[in-house]
Amino acid sequence: MKRDKEKSRKIAKYIFLAATVVICVGLCVGALLPGETSAATSDNFGEKVEGILDDIGVSTGVVMDGTGFTNWQLFVRKLFGHFGAFMFLGAVASVTFMLFSKDNIRSRLAAFGMAAVFGFAFACLTELLQTDLFTTGRGASFDDVITDCRGYFVTCLAFFAVWFAAQAIHRISRKRRYGDLLSSAAADEYERTPSDQDKN
C-alpha cells in the first residue's frame, strides 16, 4: 500500500515537472516572437473573444469597465497573455514544488520559497527575452512583470494555502487519534484486576 502510494507520487511529480517545463518553453517561445507576429496573434484571439461576448450579449466596454484599459486588444493581451498564462503556470509549478518537497515543515516552507522565487525570476526572464537583444518589435516592461506575478501568485498562494491547511488538519487529526489510542490503552491497563497483572 505504502509502496504503491510512493510510486504514484513519483509518477505524478515527474508528470507535473514535465508540464511545468512545457509551459515555460511555450511562454519563452511566445516572448521571442517578433512584434508583428505577436500583435497579429493576440489581435486574432481578441477578435474571437469579442465575437463570443457579442454572441452572449456582453459588450467589451462592460468587461473592461473599472480595469483602466480602453483598448480591447491590449486588455486581452494583458489578461490572457500575461495574467492568465502565469496563473496557469502558478498552479502547475506549485504542485510540482509540493510533490518534490519532503514530509516536514522546513521542506514545505522551502518549497513555497522556491516556488515564489521561480515565479518572479521567470516573469523577469520572459520580459528580458522581449528586448531587442533577442527579438524585434517588442519591448520589455516591468509593469508586465507585475502583471505576470499577480497571475502567478493568485494560484501559487491559493494552492500552497490549501496544502498547508490540509497538512495541518491531517497532523492534528493524527495526534488526536494517537491520543485517543493512548487514553484507551491507559484506561484498559487501569481497569485490569490485580490478579490479571500478577499473571503477566
Side-chain angles (χ1 to χ4, degrees):
M1 181 77 176
K2 188 177 179 181
R3 185 174 292 178
D4 290 341
K5 190 176 179 181
E6 288 175 358
K7 188 177 179 180
S8 298
R9 182 186 172 103
K10 189 174 182 179
I11 293 169
K13 71 181 182 180
Y14 286 109
I15 289 173
F16 273 92
L17 176 62
T20 302
V21 171
V22 169
I23 295 168
C24 288
V25 170
L27 289 172
C28 286
V29 170
L32 288 168
L33 291 174
E36 289 182 7
T37 307
S38 175
T41 302
S42 80
D43 287 349
N44 289 336
F45 182 73
E47 287 172 6
K48 288 179 181 178
V49 175
E50 187 175 6
I52 293 169
L53 292 175
D54 285 340
D55 290 341
I56 60 175
V58 178
S59 71
T60 57
V62 171
V63 175
M64 290 190 294
D65 189 34
T67 63
F69 287 92
T70 55
N71 184 304
W72 172 249
Q73 303 297 345
L74 181 60
F75 173 74
V76 168
R77 193 178 307 168
K78 301 298 181 185
L79 180 63
F80 292 98
H82 289 275
F83 187 88
F86 272 80
M87 189 168 70
F88 184 59
L89 174 62
V92 177
S94 296
V95 176
T96 303
F97 280 102
M98 289 174 194
L99 290 170
F100 275 89
S101 69
K102 294 180 181 177
D103 192 20
N104 60 68
I105 190 66
R106 183 178 293 179
S107 181
R108 290 171 190 151
L109 289 173
F112 173 70
M114 287 187 288
V117 170
F118 168 75
F120 177 74
F122 190 72
C124 291
L125 174 63
T126 55
E127 285 306 304
L128 178 65
L129 293 176
Q130 294 178 50
T131 60
D132 292 336
L133 194 64
F134 298 100
T135 188
T136 57
R138 302 289 292 271
S141 168
F142 192 71
D143 287 342
D144 286 345
V145 172
I146 299 301
T147 303
D148 295 341
C149 287
R150 283 176 179 166
Y152 182 87
F153 283 105
V154 161
T155 48
C156 182
L157 290 172
F159 275 55
F160 270 99
V162 170
W163 187 50
F164 280 122
Q167 294 293 326
I169 291 168
H170 176 70
R171 204 168 183 179
I172 290 167
S173 65
R174 190 169 59 183
K175 280 185 177 180
R176 282 183 179 173
R177 188 167 67 247
Y178 286 145
D180 290 343
L181 287 172
L182 288 172
S183 297
S184 178
D188 289 344
E189 183 67 24
Y190 180 77
E191 289 174 0
R192 288 168 67 187
T193 62
S195 59
D196 289 336
Q197 293 175 356
D198 291 340
K199 290 177 184 177
N200 293 333

